[in-house]
PDB file of all heavy atoms in Angstrom:
ATOM      1  N   ILE A  27       4.888   5.910  -6.116  1.00 98.00           N
ATOM      2  CA  ILE A  27       4.310   5.847  -7.370  1.00 98.00           C
ATOM      3  C   ILE A  27       4.637   4.389  -7.945  1.00 98.00           C
ATOM      4  O   ILE A  27       3.918   3.846  -8.755  1.00 98.00           O
ATOM      5  CB  ILE A  27       4.819   6.912  -8.365  1.00 98.00           C
ATOM      6  CG1 ILE A  27       6.348   7.048  -8.304  1.00 98.00           C
ATOM      7  CG2 ILE A  27       4.123   8.259  -7.959  1.00 98.00           C
ATOM      8  CD1 ILE A  27       6.900   8.015  -9.352  1.00 98.00           C
ATOM      9  N   PHE A  28       5.817   3.830  -7.573  1.00 97.00           N
ATOM     10  CA  PHE A  28       6.249   2.574  -7.965  1.00 97.00           C
ATOM     11  C   PHE A  28       5.419   1.401  -7.185  1.00 97.00           C
ATOM     12  O   PHE A  28       5.752   0.290  -7.491  1.00 97.00           O
ATOM     13  CB  PHE A  28       7.688   2.378  -7.896  1.00 97.00           C
ATOM     14  CG  PHE A  28       8.418   3.298  -8.817  1.00 97.00           C
ATOM     15  CD1 PHE A  28       9.689   3.657  -8.581  1.00 97.00           C
ATOM     16  CD2 PHE A  28       7.815   3.824  -9.977  1.00 97.00           C
ATOM     17  CE1 PHE A  28      10.486   4.511  -9.463  1.00 97.00           C
ATOM     18  CE2 PHE A  28       8.559   4.724 -10.794  1.00 97.00           C
ATOM     19  CZ  PHE A  28       9.879   5.045 -10.591  1.00 97.00           C
ATOM     20  N   GLY A  29       4.544   1.734  -6.412  1.00 97.00           N
ATOM     21  CA  GLY A  29       3.677   0.800  -5.796  1.00 97.00           C
ATOM     22  C   GLY A  29       2.451   0.480  -6.707  1.00 97.00           C
ATOM     23  O   GLY A  29       1.734  -0.472  -6.375  1.00 97.00           O
ATOM     24  N   THR A  30       2.390   1.318  -7.718  1.00 97.00           N
ATOM     25  CA  THR A  30       1.252   1.165  -8.751  1.00 97.00           C
ATOM     26  C   THR A  30       1.804   0.944 -10.139  1.00 97.00           C
ATOM     27  O   THR A  30       1.189   0.319 -10.914  1.00 97.00           O
ATOM     28  CB  THR A  30       0.422   2.462  -8.603  1.00 97.00           C
ATOM     29  OG1 THR A  30      -0.113   2.655  -7.195  1.00 97.00           O
ATOM     30  CG2 THR A  30      -0.835   2.298  -9.515  1.00 97.00           C
ATOM     31  N   SER A  31       2.898   1.776 -10.394  1.00 97.00           N
ATOM     32  CA  SER A  31       3.469   1.722 -11.677  1.00 97.00           C
ATOM     33  C   SER A  31       4.661   0.769 -11.740  1.00 97.00           C
ATOM     34  O   SER A  31       5.351   0.596 -10.685  1.00 97.00           O
ATOM     35  CB  SER A  31       3.989   3.135 -12.056  1.00 97.00           C
ATOM     36  OG  SER A  31       4.963   3.130 -13.020  1.00 97.00           O
ATOM     37  N   GLY A  32       5.058   0.205 -12.917  1.00 96.00           N
ATOM     38  CA  GLY A  32       6.182  -0.613 -13.032  1.00 96.00           C
ATOM     39  C   GLY A  32       7.488   0.111 -13.269  1.00 96.00           C
ATOM     40  O   GLY A  32       8.509  -0.482 -13.298  1.00 96.00           O
ATOM     41  N   GLY A  33       7.375   1.458 -13.127  1.00 93.00           N
ATOM     42  CA  GLY A  33       8.585   2.241 -13.104  1.00 93.00           C
ATOM     43  C   GLY A  33       9.471   2.077 -14.435  1.00 93.00           C
ATOM     44  O   GLY A  33       8.968   2.232 -15.504  1.00 93.00           O
ATOM     45  N   PHE A  34      10.685   1.727 -14.172  1.00 92.00           N
ATOM     46  CA  PHE A  34      11.611   1.652 -15.308  1.00 92.00           C
ATOM     47  C   PHE A  34      12.039   0.137 -15.525  1.00 92.00           C
ATOM     48  O   PHE A  34      12.947  -0.052 -16.266  1.00 92.00           O
ATOM     49  CB  PHE A  34      12.842   2.457 -14.962  1.00 92.00           C
ATOM     50  CG  PHE A  34      12.591   3.955 -14.650  1.00 92.00           C
ATOM     51  CD1 PHE A  34      12.881   4.420 -13.390  1.00 92.00           C
ATOM     52  CD2 PHE A  34      12.100   4.718 -15.606  1.00 92.00           C
ATOM     53  CE1 PHE A  34      12.671   5.725 -13.056  1.00 92.00           C
ATOM     54  CE2 PHE A  34      11.854   6.071 -15.225  1.00 92.00           C
ATOM     55  CZ  PHE A  34      12.147   6.552 -14.042  1.00 92.00           C
ATOM     56  N   GLY A  35      11.217  -0.678 -14.878  1.00 95.00           N
ATOM     57  CA  GLY A  35      11.636  -2.171 -15.183  1.00 95.00           C
ATOM     58  C   GLY A  35      12.687  -2.697 -14.253  1.00 95.00           C
ATOM     59  O   GLY A  35      13.138  -3.793 -14.449  1.00 95.00           O
ATOM     60  N   THR A  36      13.138  -1.839 -13.374  1.00 93.00           N
ATOM     61  CA  THR A  36      14.201  -2.189 -12.474  1.00 93.00           C
ATOM     62  C   THR A  36      13.645  -2.294 -11.002  1.00 93.00           C
ATOM     63  O   THR A  36      12.512  -2.032 -10.839  1.00 93.00           O
ATOM     64  CB  THR A  36      15.423  -1.312 -12.514  1.00 93.00           C
ATOM     65  OG1 THR A  36      14.940   0.111 -12.199  1.00 93.00           O
ATOM     66  CG2 THR A  36      16.113  -1.324 -13.896  1.00 93.00           C
ATOM     67  N   SER A  37      14.625  -2.562 -10.056  1.00 95.00           N
ATOM     68  CA  SER A  37      14.074  -2.571  -8.611  1.00 95.00           C
ATOM     69  C   SER A  37      12.980  -3.402  -8.290  1.00 95.00           C
ATOM     70  O   SER A  37      11.993  -2.951  -7.730  1.00 95.00           O
ATOM     71  CB  SER A  37      13.872  -1.088  -8.199  1.00 95.00           C
ATOM     72  OG  SER A  37      14.873  -0.191  -8.608  1.00 95.00           O
ATOM     73  N   PRO A  38      12.995  -4.704  -8.665  1.00 97.00           N
ATOM     74  CA  PRO A  38      11.879  -5.480  -8.486  1.00 97.00           C
ATOM     75  C   PRO A  38      11.378  -5.712  -7.015  1.00 97.00           C
ATOM     76  O   PRO A  38      10.139  -5.719  -6.768  1.00 97.00           O
ATOM     77  CB  PRO A  38      12.223  -6.879  -9.025  1.00 97.00           C
ATOM     78  CG  PRO A  38      13.725  -6.886  -9.061  1.00 97.00           C
ATOM     79  CD  PRO A  38      14.075  -5.465  -9.274  1.00 97.00           C
ATOM     80  N   ALA A  39      12.301  -5.812  -6.113  1.00 97.00           N
ATOM     81  CA  ALA A  39      11.917  -5.925  -4.706  1.00 97.00           C
ATOM     82  C   ALA A  39      11.211  -4.609  -4.218  1.00 97.00           C
ATOM     83  O   ALA A  39      10.237  -4.782  -3.412  1.00 97.00           O
ATOM     84  CB  ALA A  39      13.190  -6.314  -3.812  1.00 97.00           C
ATOM     85  N   TYR A  40      11.764  -3.510  -4.598  1.00 96.00           N
ATOM     86  CA  TYR A  40      11.093  -2.243  -4.102  1.00 96.00           C
ATOM     87  C   TYR A  40       9.652  -2.039  -4.702  1.00 96.00           C
ATOM     88  O   TYR A  40       8.710  -1.747  -3.877  1.00 96.00           O
ATOM     89  CB  TYR A  40      11.953  -1.051  -4.626  1.00 96.00           C
ATOM     90  CG  TYR A  40      11.433   0.252  -4.187  1.00 96.00           C
ATOM     91  CD1 TYR A  40      11.758   0.737  -2.931  1.00 96.00           C
ATOM     92  CD2 TYR A  40      10.782   1.102  -5.035  1.00 96.00           C
ATOM     93  CE1 TYR A  40      11.395   1.958  -2.488  1.00 96.00           C
ATOM     94  CE2 TYR A  40      10.293   2.333  -4.659  1.00 96.00           C
ATOM     95  CZ  TYR A  40      10.611   2.856  -3.371  1.00 96.00           C
ATOM     96  OH  TYR A  40      10.175   3.993  -2.974  1.00 96.00           O
ATOM     97  N   HIS A  41       9.503  -2.400  -5.979  1.00 97.00           N
ATOM     98  CA  HIS A  41       8.172  -2.332  -6.508  1.00 97.00           C
ATOM     99  C   HIS A  41       7.193  -3.324  -5.828  1.00 97.00           C
ATOM    100  O   HIS A  41       6.079  -3.082  -5.572  1.00 97.00           O
ATOM    101  CB  HIS A  41       8.273  -2.645  -8.024  1.00 97.00           C
ATOM    102  CG  HIS A  41       8.784  -1.435  -8.807  1.00 97.00           C
ATOM    103  ND1 HIS A  41      10.137  -1.032  -8.692  1.00 97.00           N
ATOM    104  CD2 HIS A  41       8.171  -0.623  -9.641  1.00 97.00           C
ATOM    105  CE1 HIS A  41      10.334  -0.006  -9.523  1.00 97.00           C
ATOM    106  NE2 HIS A  41       9.128   0.263 -10.124  1.00 97.00           N
ATOM    107  N   ALA A  42       7.702  -4.545  -5.639  1.00 98.00           N
ATOM    108  CA  ALA A  42       6.782  -5.546  -4.907  1.00 98.00           C
ATOM    109  C   ALA A  42       6.486  -5.134  -3.589  1.00 98.00           C
ATOM    110  O   ALA A  42       5.315  -5.282  -3.263  1.00 98.00           O
ATOM    111  CB  ALA A  42       7.638  -6.895  -4.959  1.00 98.00           C
ATOM    112  N   ALA A  43       7.381  -4.613  -2.834  1.00 98.00           N
ATOM    113  CA  ALA A  43       7.043  -4.157  -1.531  1.00 98.00           C
ATOM    114  C   ALA A  43       6.107  -2.962  -1.452  1.00 98.00           C
ATOM    115  O   ALA A  43       5.130  -2.966  -0.583  1.00 98.00           O
ATOM    116  CB  ALA A  43       8.327  -3.801  -0.782  1.00 98.00           C
ATOM    117  N   LYS A  44       6.385  -2.057  -2.267  1.00 98.00           N
ATOM    118  CA  LYS A  44       5.460  -0.854  -2.321  1.00 98.00           C
ATOM    119  C   LYS A  44       4.030  -1.209  -2.804  1.00 98.00           C
ATOM    120  O   LYS A  44       3.097  -0.586  -2.371  1.00 98.00           O
ATOM    121  CB  LYS A  44       6.142   0.247  -3.098  1.00 98.00           C
ATOM    122  CG  LYS A  44       7.341   0.859  -2.477  1.00 98.00           C
ATOM    123  CD  LYS A  44       7.205   1.355  -1.104  1.00 98.00           C
ATOM    124  CE  LYS A  44       8.417   2.109  -0.566  1.00 98.00           C
ATOM    125  NZ  LYS A  44       8.126   2.702   0.780  1.00 98.00           N
ATOM    126  N   GLY A  45       4.041  -2.064  -3.736  1.00 98.00           N
ATOM    127  CA  GLY A  45       2.681  -2.534  -4.208  1.00 98.00           C
ATOM    128  C   GLY A  45       1.932  -3.235  -3.117  1.00 98.00           C
ATOM    129  O   GLY A  45       0.679  -3.166  -2.913  1.00 98.00           O
ATOM    130  N   ALA A  46       2.657  -4.054  -2.347  1.00 98.00           N
ATOM    131  CA  ALA A  46       2.102  -4.824  -1.167  1.00 98.00           C
ATOM    132  C   ALA A  46       1.479  -3.849  -0.170  1.00 98.00           C
ATOM    133  O   ALA A  46       0.444  -4.120   0.422  1.00 98.00           O
ATOM    134  CB  ALA A  46       3.092  -5.831  -0.552  1.00 98.00           C
ATOM    135  N   ILE A  47       2.253  -2.729   0.111  1.00 98.00           N
ATOM    136  CA  ILE A  47       1.828  -1.729   1.087  1.00 98.00           C
ATOM    137  C   ILE A  47       0.461  -1.160   0.601  1.00 98.00           C
ATOM    138  O   ILE A  47      -0.395  -0.923   1.395  1.00 98.00           O
ATOM    139  CB  ILE A  47       2.863  -0.666   1.167  1.00 98.00           C
ATOM    140  CG1 ILE A  47       4.058  -1.195   1.954  1.00 98.00           C
ATOM    141  CG2 ILE A  47       2.344   0.556   1.964  1.00 98.00           C
ATOM    142  CD1 ILE A  47       5.284  -0.232   1.969  1.00 98.00           C
ATOM    143  N   ARG A  48       0.395  -0.874  -0.704  1.00 98.00           N
ATOM    144  CA  ARG A  48      -0.836  -0.356  -1.141  1.00 98.00           C
ATOM    145  C   ARG A  48      -1.988  -1.163  -0.944  1.00 98.00           C
ATOM    146  O   ARG A  48      -3.093  -0.669  -0.441  1.00 98.00           O
ATOM    147  CB  ARG A  48      -0.721  -0.130  -2.777  1.00 98.00           C
ATOM    148  CG  ARG A  48      -1.910   0.406  -3.453  1.00 98.00           C
ATOM    149  CD  ARG A  48      -1.724   0.315  -4.878  1.00 98.00           C
ATOM    150  NE  ARG A  48      -2.781   0.916  -5.712  1.00 98.00           N
ATOM    151  CZ  ARG A  48      -3.299   0.366  -6.826  1.00 98.00           C
ATOM    152  NH1 ARG A  48      -2.728  -0.760  -7.240  1.00 98.00           N
ATOM    153  NH2 ARG A  48      -4.410   0.862  -7.449  1.00 98.00           N
ATOM    154  N   THR A  49      -1.883  -2.471  -1.174  1.00 98.00           N
ATOM    155  CA  THR A  49      -3.139  -3.395  -0.927  1.00 98.00           C
ATOM    156  C   THR A  49      -3.260  -3.733   0.568  1.00 98.00           C
ATOM    157  O   THR A  49      -4.389  -3.780   1.017  1.00 98.00           O
ATOM    158  CB  THR A  49      -2.854  -4.688  -1.774  1.00 98.00           C
ATOM    159  OG1 THR A  49      -2.714  -4.335  -3.101  1.00 98.00           O
ATOM    160  CG2 THR A  49      -4.125  -5.596  -1.594  1.00 98.00           C
ATOM    161  N   LEU A  50      -2.214  -3.879   1.255  1.00 98.00           N
ATOM    162  CA  LEU A  50      -2.278  -4.120   2.682  1.00 98.00           C
ATOM    163  C   LEU A  50      -2.929  -3.035   3.393  1.00 98.00           C
ATOM    164  O   LEU A  50      -3.769  -3.206   4.337  1.00 98.00           O
ATOM    165  CB  LEU A  50      -0.831  -4.394   3.335  1.00 98.00           C
ATOM    166  CG  LEU A  50      -0.809  -4.653   4.873  1.00 98.00           C
ATOM    167  CD1 LEU A  50      -1.398  -5.897   5.183  1.00 98.00           C
ATOM    168  CD2 LEU A  50       0.675  -4.749   5.263  1.00 98.00           C
ATOM    169  N   THR A  51      -2.678  -1.770   3.030  1.00 99.00           N
ATOM    170  CA  THR A  51      -3.354  -0.660   3.564  1.00 99.00           C
ATOM    171  C   THR A  51      -4.805  -0.753   3.475  1.00 99.00           C
ATOM    172  O   THR A  51      -5.539  -0.542   4.409  1.00 99.00           O
ATOM    173  CB  THR A  51      -2.866   0.672   2.869  1.00 99.00           C
ATOM    174  OG1 THR A  51      -1.479   0.835   3.148  1.00 99.00           O
ATOM    175  CG2 THR A  51      -3.685   1.902   3.308  1.00 99.00           C
ATOM    176  N   LYS A  52      -5.331  -1.056   2.231  1.00 98.00           N
ATOM    177  CA  LYS A  52      -6.819  -1.258   2.044  1.00 98.00           C
ATOM    178  C   LYS A  52      -7.368  -2.291   2.886  1.00 98.00           C
ATOM    179  O   LYS A  52      -8.394  -2.236   3.472  1.00 98.00           O
ATOM    180  CB  LYS A  52      -7.045  -1.402   0.593  1.00 98.00           C
ATOM    181  CG  LYS A  52      -6.653  -0.234  -0.266  1.00 98.00           C
ATOM    182  CD  LYS A  52      -6.977  -0.564  -1.766  1.00 98.00           C
ATOM    183  CE  LYS A  52      -6.324   0.566  -2.618  1.00 98.00           C
ATOM    184  NZ  LYS A  52      -6.902   1.848  -2.363  1.00 98.00           N
ATOM    185  N   ASN A  53      -6.626  -3.406   3.061  1.00 98.00           N
ATOM    186  CA  ASN A  53      -7.082  -4.598   3.781  1.00 98.00           C
ATOM    187  C   ASN A  53      -7.246  -4.294   5.249  1.00 98.00           C
ATOM    188  O   ASN A  53      -8.324  -4.600   5.918  1.00 98.00           O
ATOM    189  CB  ASN A  53      -5.998  -5.707   3.614  1.00 98.00           C
ATOM    190  CG  ASN A  53      -6.408  -6.921   4.508  1.00 98.00           C
ATOM    191  OD1 ASN A  53      -5.777  -7.126   5.547  1.00 98.00           O
ATOM    192  ND2 ASN A  53      -7.329  -7.852   4.004  1.00 98.00           N
ATOM    193  N   ILE A  54      -6.336  -3.594   5.809  1.00 99.00           N
ATOM    194  CA  ILE A  54      -6.454  -3.225   7.267  1.00 99.00           C
ATOM    195  C   ILE A  54      -7.373  -2.111   7.463  1.00 99.00           C
ATOM    196  O   ILE A  54      -8.008  -2.031   8.551  1.00 99.00           O
ATOM    197  CB  ILE A  54      -5.015  -2.864   7.781  1.00 99.00           C
ATOM    198  CG1 ILE A  54      -3.982  -3.997   7.527  1.00 99.00           C
ATOM    199  CG2 ILE A  54      -5.088  -2.708   9.391  1.00 99.00           C
ATOM    200  CD1 ILE A  54      -4.404  -5.432   7.988  1.00 99.00           C
ATOM    201  N   ALA A  55      -7.561  -1.208   6.464  1.00 99.00           N
ATOM    202  CA  ALA A  55      -8.510  -0.173   6.557  1.00 99.00           C
ATOM    203  C   ALA A  55      -9.861  -0.775   6.714  1.00 99.00           C
ATOM    204  O   ALA A  55     -10.721  -0.231   7.475  1.00 99.00           O
ATOM    205  CB  ALA A  55      -8.499   0.840   5.390  1.00 99.00           C
ATOM    206  N   LEU A  56     -10.174  -1.802   5.914  1.00 98.00           N
ATOM    207  CA  LEU A  56     -11.500  -2.442   6.081  1.00 98.00           C
ATOM    208  C   LEU A  56     -11.634  -3.117   7.328  1.00 98.00           C
ATOM    209  O   LEU A  56     -12.706  -3.073   7.987  1.00 98.00           O
ATOM    210  CB  LEU A  56     -11.714  -3.436   4.940  1.00 98.00           C
ATOM    211  CG  LEU A  56     -11.837  -2.805   3.468  1.00 98.00           C
ATOM    212  CD1 LEU A  56     -11.792  -3.854   2.450  1.00 98.00           C
ATOM    213  CD2 LEU A  56     -13.014  -1.966   3.349  1.00 98.00           C
ATOM    214  N   HIS A  57     -10.630  -3.801   7.790  1.00 98.00           N
ATOM    215  CA  HIS A  57     -10.626  -4.483   9.056  1.00 98.00           C
ATOM    216  C   HIS A  57     -10.888  -3.600  10.290  1.00 98.00           C
ATOM    217  O   HIS A  57     -11.689  -3.863  11.247  1.00 98.00           O
ATOM    218  CB  HIS A  57      -9.372  -5.295   9.305  1.00 98.00           C
ATOM    219  CG  HIS A  57      -9.282  -6.084  10.618  1.00 98.00           C
ATOM    220  ND1 HIS A  57     -10.261  -6.949  10.983  1.00 98.00           N
ATOM    221  CD2 HIS A  57      -8.353  -5.981  11.552  1.00 98.00           C
ATOM    222  CE1 HIS A  57      -9.906  -7.439  12.093  1.00 98.00           C
ATOM    223  NE2 HIS A  57      -8.739  -6.892  12.502  1.00 98.00           N
ATOM    224  N   TRP A  58     -10.296  -2.349  10.240  1.00 98.00           N
ATOM    225  CA  TRP A  58     -10.390  -1.449  11.344  1.00 98.00           C
ATOM    226  C   TRP A  58     -11.463  -0.307  11.033  1.00 98.00           C
ATOM    227  O   TRP A  58     -11.558   0.666  11.877  1.00 98.00           O
ATOM    228  CB  TRP A  58      -9.104  -0.721  11.595  1.00 98.00           C
ATOM    229  CG  TRP A  58      -8.074  -1.733  12.288  1.00 98.00           C
ATOM    230  CD1 TRP A  58      -8.351  -2.944  12.892  1.00 98.00           C
ATOM    231  CD2 TRP A  58      -6.638  -1.523  12.416  1.00 98.00           C
ATOM    232  NE1 TRP A  58      -7.187  -3.361  13.513  1.00 98.00           N
ATOM    233  CE2 TRP A  58      -6.214  -2.637  13.149  1.00 98.00           C
ATOM    234  CE3 TRP A  58      -5.682  -0.549  11.973  1.00 98.00           C
ATOM    235  CZ2 TRP A  58      -4.702  -2.694  13.518  1.00 98.00           C
ATOM    236  CZ3 TRP A  58      -4.472  -0.623  12.311  1.00 98.00           C
ATOM    237  CH2 TRP A  58      -3.935  -1.623  13.040  1.00 98.00           C
ATOM    238  N   ALA A  59     -12.243  -0.396  10.062  1.00 98.00           N
ATOM    239  CA  ALA A  59     -13.149   0.616   9.685  1.00 98.00           C
ATOM    240  C   ALA A  59     -14.195   0.942  10.820  1.00 98.00           C
ATOM    241  O   ALA A  59     -14.490   2.120  10.952  1.00 98.00           O
ATOM    242  CB  ALA A  59     -13.898   0.294   8.359  1.00 98.00           C
ATOM    243  N   ASP A  60     -14.607  -0.027  11.542  1.00 98.00           N
ATOM    244  CA  ASP A  60     -15.532   0.167  12.612  1.00 98.00           C
ATOM    245  C   ASP A  60     -14.849   0.218  14.015  1.00 98.00           C
ATOM    246  O   ASP A  60     -15.465   0.166  15.047  1.00 98.00           O
ATOM    247  CB  ASP A  60     -16.608  -0.812  12.633  1.00 98.00           C
ATOM    248  CG  ASP A  60     -16.114  -2.252  12.754  1.00 98.00           C
ATOM    249  OD1 ASP A  60     -14.909  -2.439  12.836  1.00 98.00           O
ATOM    250  OD2 ASP A  60     -16.923  -3.139  12.836  1.00 98.00           O
ATOM    251  N   ALA A  61     -13.509   0.361  14.033  1.00 98.00           N
ATOM    252  CA  ALA A  61     -12.755   0.293  15.269  1.00 98.00           C
ATOM    253  C   ALA A  61     -12.130   1.618  15.520  1.00 98.00           C
ATOM    254  O   ALA A  61     -11.378   1.730  16.508  1.00 98.00           O
ATOM    255  CB  ALA A  61     -11.618  -0.734  15.174  1.00 98.00           C
ATOM    256  N   GLY A  62     -12.439   2.666  14.703  1.00 97.00           N
ATOM    257  CA  GLY A  62     -11.983   3.975  15.024  1.00 97.00           C
ATOM    258  C   GLY A  62     -10.606   4.206  14.556  1.00 97.00           C
ATOM    259  O   GLY A  62      -9.936   5.174  15.022  1.00 97.00           O
ATOM    260  N   VAL A  63     -10.056   3.387  13.725  1.00 98.00           N
ATOM    261  CA  VAL A  63      -8.639   3.621  13.105  1.00 98.00           C
ATOM    262  C   VAL A  63      -8.759   3.644  11.734  1.00 98.00           C
ATOM    263  O   VAL A  63      -9.231   2.847  10.975  1.00 98.00           O
ATOM    264  CB  VAL A  63      -7.865   2.419  13.546  1.00 98.00           C
ATOM    265  CG1 VAL A  63      -6.363   2.713  13.005  1.00 98.00           C
ATOM    266  CG2 VAL A  63      -7.800   2.130  14.961  1.00 98.00           C
ATOM    267  N   ARG A  64      -8.270   4.849  11.090  1.00 99.00           N
ATOM    268  CA  ARG A  64      -8.189   4.977   9.662  1.00 99.00           C
ATOM    269  C   ARG A  64      -6.816   4.657   9.102  1.00 99.00           C
ATOM    270  O   ARG A  64      -5.749   4.882   9.782  1.00 99.00           O
ATOM    271  CB  ARG A  64      -8.473   6.460   9.338  1.00 99.00           C
ATOM    272  CG  ARG A  64      -9.901   6.934   9.726  1.00 99.00           C
ATOM    273  CD  ARG A  64     -10.157   8.428   9.427  1.00 99.00           C
ATOM    274  NE  ARG A  64      -9.299   9.260  10.247  1.00 99.00           N
ATOM    275  CZ  ARG A  64      -8.190   9.781   9.683  1.00 99.00           C
ATOM    276  NH1 ARG A  64      -7.864   9.652   8.428  1.00 99.00           N
ATOM    277  NH2 ARG A  64      -7.484  10.631  10.425  1.00 99.00           N
ATOM    278  N   VAL A  65      -6.779   4.030   7.997  1.00 99.00           N
ATOM    279  CA  VAL A  65      -5.450   3.556   7.400  1.00 99.00           C
ATOM    280  C   VAL A  65      -5.363   4.025   5.967  1.00 99.00           C
ATOM    281  O   VAL A  65      -6.298   3.610   5.057  1.00 99.00           O
ATOM    282  CB  VAL A  65      -5.269   2.005   7.521  1.00 99.00           C
ATOM    283  CG1 VAL A  65      -3.984   1.608   7.038  1.00 99.00           C
ATOM    284  CG2 VAL A  65      -5.672   1.552   8.940  1.00 99.00           C
ATOM    285  N   ASN A  66      -4.480   4.762   5.613  1.00 99.00           N
ATOM    286  CA  ASN A  66      -4.282   5.251   4.253  1.00 99.00           C
ATOM    287  C   ASN A  66      -2.832   5.132   3.785  1.00 99.00           C
ATOM    288  O   ASN A  66      -1.888   5.080   4.548  1.00 99.00           O
ATOM    289  CB  ASN A  66      -4.699   6.688   4.238  1.00 99.00           C
ATOM    290  CG  ASN A  66      -6.198   6.931   4.469  1.00 99.00           C
ATOM    291  OD1 ASN A  66      -7.044   6.604   3.638  1.00 99.00           O
ATOM    292  ND2 ASN A  66      -6.516   7.401   5.600  1.00 99.00           N
ATOM    293  N   SER A  67      -2.616   5.165   2.427  1.00 99.00           N
ATOM    294  CA  SER A  67      -1.270   5.255   1.863  1.00 99.00           C
ATOM    295  C   SER A  67      -1.042   6.514   1.174  1.00 99.00           C
ATOM    296  O   SER A  67      -1.943   7.068   0.529  1.00 99.00           O
ATOM    297  CB  SER A  67      -1.084   3.965   1.037  1.00 99.00           C
ATOM    298  OG  SER A  67      -1.950   3.975  -0.025  1.00 99.00           O
ATOM    299  N   ILE A  68       0.229   6.927   1.234  1.00 98.00           N
ATOM    300  CA  ILE A  68       0.634   8.093   0.364  1.00 98.00           C
ATOM    301  C   ILE A  68       1.668   7.465  -0.534  1.00 98.00           C
ATOM    302  O   ILE A  68       2.564   6.643  -0.329  1.00 98.00           O
ATOM    303  CB  ILE A  68       1.330   9.185   1.255  1.00 98.00           C
ATOM    304  CG1 ILE A  68       0.198   9.882   2.021  1.00 98.00           C
ATOM    305  CG2 ILE A  68       2.041  10.247   0.479  1.00 98.00           C
ATOM    306  CD1 ILE A  68       0.681  11.026   3.017  1.00 98.00           C
TER     307      ILE A  68
END
């Protein structure tokens, strides 16, 4: 949830990393969409 929300204003590295995972997931999902590989984030 802290990949989308700012949480409590602490843990900047954790939030930055989890936010990056959120967008990276979408980027690779598009790249592999016609390659038979699905990519999602929880």
Side-chain angles (χ1 to χ4, degrees):
I27 50 174
F28 293 158
T30 306
S31 160
F34 305 116
T36 57
S37 311
Y40 183 82
H41 285 70
K44 294 300 186 178
I47 290 171
R48 178 185 181 224
T49 306
L50 180 62
T51 295
K52 297 178 187 301
N53 176 263
I54 307 305
L56 292 174
H57 178 54
W58 285 345
D60 61 355
V63 182
R64 298 178 298 99
V65 188
N66 295 286
S67 60
I68 288 180

